[in-house]
Amino acid sequence: MVSPEQEATTYQSVVATVDEADVEALEERLWAVGAMAVSCEKIAGEDHFAEPNVLQSSANGWQRTRVSGLFPRQVLAFEVIKQLPPGRDYKICELAEQRWEETWRRDLQPIEIGERWWVCPSWCETPAGAKEVIILDPGRAFGTGRHETTLLCLQALLRSSISAQSVVIDYGCGSGILGIAAAKLGAQVLATDIDPIALECARENAAQNDVSLALHEDPEVIQTKADIVVANILLNPLITLAPHLVSLLKPGGHIIFAGVLNGQCDDLRRAYAHAIEFQPAVLKAGWALLEGCLRS
């Protein structure tokens, strides 16, 4: 006979504490073997990752990270562990459905991003006095507004001069949150990502927000010229993609970059110095946002 406590335990978590350099590989593997959610948390009482799929540099990032994958109870966790990278001390934790859902929803409340704009999970009421709301639930792609880099990009878009004539490219769109914000501001938006799951999420989120995104699955062949290119990705891709991203700008076009740490700003500026005149960086909790215009 199944006890009430066992009946309520409908989820289980596979957990391992790993070095920072191993975080990304373990995250990707957990998703690949069917995790419903993956979370990362620094140990020793430090702040947790606000969103998945963010890899820090070893010089400035965290040394040890607790990585957890959430699975339904009927999944055999020991079989899952056999498919994960070897040499880790994996633990299995059982989670009561009520506790997990209540904690998840309690922690994911509306976030004000500025000018009475909010990012709001679908289960929450619209905040009083809200001018505009982006409805977005956590899902399979990066970008819910809770990570500093996403928030910095959203605030930069709100500061920009977007109109109905504006073309915005959301490069590496993840959940599509930045493209959705630009569309709500009136822009024509092209959103692109190399991950087909991200594109699927972006499509679903755009529909939930009653906006249209032109989705493109091959970022490096895009030739559309944009008034604004926004890219919330890591330093190395931003540097590698410099010629391509610059080529996407209209004369006088504007670029918004995030996903870099404070100490990486100079490297990013050097990669674009020939083409972009940058403003002073905007810093938040160790992260930096760089905005600039195409040199005439």
Side-chain angles (χ1 to χ4, degrees):
M1 179 178 293
V2 178
S3 71
E5 290 80 7
Q6 289 173 316
E7 187 66 34
T9 306
T10 57
Y11 298 100
Q12 57 189 335
S13 183
V14 175
V15 184
T17 299
V18 300
D19 292 335
E20 180 190 348
D22 299 324
V23 170
E24 186 175 40
L26 181 53
E27 279 186 297
E28 290 180 354
R29 194 62 194 152
L30 284 165
W31 286 117
V33 298
M36 300 168 58
V38 178
S39 64
C40 299
E41 184 177 7
K42 289 184 293 180
I43 62 173
E46 298 177 288
D47 293 339
H48 67 283
F49 282 119
E51 304 221 16
N53 302 326
V54 179
L55 180 64
Q56 314 299 314
S57 71
S58 58
N60 300 289
W62 305 302
Q63 298 304 306
R64 298 285 285 172
T65 300
R66 185 178 294 112
V67 182
S68 304
L70 184 73
F71 296 87
R73 186 182 62 178
Q74 60 267 32
V75 170
L76 298 177
F78 289 104
E79 293 300 321
V80 168
I81 290 173
K82 291 178 183 178
Q83 303 176 66
L84 300 177
R88 312 281 181 236
D89 182 17
Y90 293 106
K91 294 179 173 60
I92 301 170
C93 304
E94 293 189 342
L95 302 171
E97 179 177 13
Q98 182 178 11
R99 186 180 70 194
W100 177 72
E101 288 197 3
E102 286 180 354
T103 300
W104 185 57
R105 293 195 173 203
R106 183 182 65 241
D107 291 344
L108 296 172
Q109 294 299 306
I111 298 172
E112 187 171 16
I113 59 178
E115 298 182 14
R116 295 187 293 131
W117 277 61
W118 291 77
V119 177
C120 188
S122 60
W123 58 81
C124 295
E125 293 185 6
T126 299
K131 176 182 176 182
E132 188 63 74
V133 174
I134 300 172
I135 301 172
L136 203 78
D137 296 336
R140 296 162 291 167
F142 180 82
T144 63
R146 284 166 174 78
H147 193 269
E148 287 82 359
T149 60
T150 311
L151 184 60
L152 286 168
C153 286
L154 289 168
Q155 292 170 341
L157 287 169
L158 293 185
R159 292 193 301 267
S160 63
S161 301
I162 291 178
S163 69
Q165 288 73 46
S166 299
V167 176
V168 174
I169 295 177
D170 181 2
Y171 202 98
C173 64
S175 70
I177 186 172
L178 302 181
I180 291 168
K184 283 180 173 284
L185 287 164
Q188 305 167 54
V189 180
L190 187 155
T192 182
D193 202 292
I194 59 174
D195 183 357
I197 293 176
L199 292 176
E200 181 182 341
C201 291
R203 182 180 295 106
E204 294 169 357
N205 290 330
Q208 188 173 34
N209 283 274
D210 295 320
V211 298
S212 177
L213 304 181
L215 299 172
H216 201 294
E217 64 183 9
D218 192 347
E220 295 192 34
V221 301
I222 292 173
Q223 296 182 353
T224 301
K225 299 295 184 180
D227 299 282
I228 297 175
V229 172
V230 56
N232 183 15
I233 54 181
L234 301 175
L235 175 67
N236 287 339
L238 285 174
I239 291 175
T240 301
L241 290 165
H244 181 51
L245 294 180
V246 168
S247 75
L248 299 178
L249 291 172
K250 294 180 180 179
H254 189 72
I255 211 152
I256 299 172
F257 287 153
V260 297
L261 299 167
N262 291 0
Q264 298 174 333
C265 290
D266 288 344
D267 292 335
L268 189 60
R269 287 192 181 97
R270 279 193 292 269
Y272 287 82
H274 66 289
I276 302 294
E277 183 175 350
F278 283 106
Q279 302 171 15
V282 179
L283 307 179
K284 184 177 179 65
W287 296 96
L289 176 132
L290 283 168
E291 297 181 66
C293 290
L294 189 64
R295 296 182 186 275
S296 55

